[in-house]
Amino acid sequence: MTEQHFPDEGMTSFDTEGDARGGETGSPDVQASGAPAAEEPQQEFPLDDPLAAAQADVLGLTADLQRLQAEYVNYKRRVDRDRELVLENARYSILSSLLPVLDDLDRAREHGELEGGFKAVADSLERIVAGQGLVKFGAPGDEFDPRLHEALMHAHSPDVTTTTCQHIVNAGYKIGERVVRPAKVTVVDPEPAGEPGGAPTEA
């Protein structure tokens, strides 16, 4: 009788499990279903973004424009300031040269010599210099201010409580807050306690 050989049962089970697992005896790229694994698509980015480049250009040009505008504003301010300074210095120089003439007019007025046409000319000149901003100051009885007055002589008086301008030798003039010439004056100081009035003394 012919003997029939059948595959060993343990070997058949081993092979079946191996086929069922699929990953132990097959290729690592093969999935459990037996189909090859699909590669994930790679997302591509453009190397040069035209929109981003345009936005960067706009920002750069805007910054340049703002810088130029600031420089122009500063330049205009400097030019205007320099122009005003030049005009003020020119006005100061011209009006300063007229002060001796104005002093002569004051002395002539004190002596009653401004009559007729000469008075009209004097009044016209004084209006012109006043229109250019020249302001006259200094009058008897004004409180002495060393920023505005130049004391030529000092005396004491019981009639004052502070240093006071007594006589105006030459009027003072200023343009705005700028003193062109301080007023030249004689002054009286309050009488020292317990002392009689003294004779005037030169400053």
Side-chain angles (χ1 to χ4, degrees):
M1 182 176 179
T2 303
E3 187 175 332
Q4 294 183 355
H5 296 279
F6 295 95
D8 185 73
E9 182 178 355
M11 184 178 297
T12 302
S13 175
F14 176 80
D15 293 340
T16 303
E17 289 179 1
D19 293 339
R21 285 193 302 268
E24 293 181 3
T25 58
S27 172
D29 292 335
V30 179
Q31 295 180 346
S33 61
E39 296 183 358
E40 295 184 359
Q42 298 293 330
Q43 185 177 2
E44 297 183 358
F45 295 94
L47 298 178
D48 186 13
D49 188 348
L51 179 58
Q55 291 175 340
D57 291 340
V58 169
L59 291 177
L61 293 174
T62 301
D64 291 341
L65 179 59
Q66 292 174 343
R67 183 167 54 254
L68 289 175
Q69 287 177 334
E71 291 177 355
Y72 173 74
V73 170
N74 292 333
Y75 168 77
K76 188 175 184 299
R77 288 175 180 172
R78 288 195 301 270
V79 169
D80 292 341
R81 183 173 61 249
D82 293 344
R83 183 185 296 111
E84 289 296 328
L85 183 60
V86 169
L87 292 176
E88 181 180 346
N89 288 337
R91 186 183 302 113
Y92 180 91
S93 178
I94 294 173
L95 295 176
S96 296
S97 65
L98 292 175
L99 295 187
V101 178
L102 298 176
D103 291 339
D104 291 340
L105 294 179
D106 287 340
R107 283 190 288 269
R109 185 178 289 107
E110 289 176 0
H111 293 85
E113 299 176 359
L114 286 181
E115 301 293 340
F118 185 52
K119 182 178 183 302
V121 172
D123 292 342
S124 178
L125 178 60
E126 290 175 340
R127 284 195 301 269
I128 291 173
V129 296
Q132 293 299 314
L134 186 67
V135 178
K136 182 179 179 180
F137 66 89
D142 289 347
E143 183 177 355
F144 179 78
D145 186 342
R147 297 170 301 175
L148 302 176
H149 306 109
E150 178 183 348
L152 301 179
M153 297 182 65
H154 281 269
H156 293 88
S157 173
D159 299 328
V160 297
T161 58
T162 184
T163 304
T164 305
C165 299
Q166 183 181 37
H167 178 68
I168 308 300
V169 179
N170 288 122
Y173 292 92
K174 62 182 180 178
I175 301 175
E177 297 300 323
R178 184 178 182 182
V179 176
V180 179
R181 187 188 69 186
K184 298 181 179 181
V185 301
T186 63
V187 300
V188 288
D189 297 318
E191 192 72 43
E195 295 185 8
T201 57
E202 292 187 2

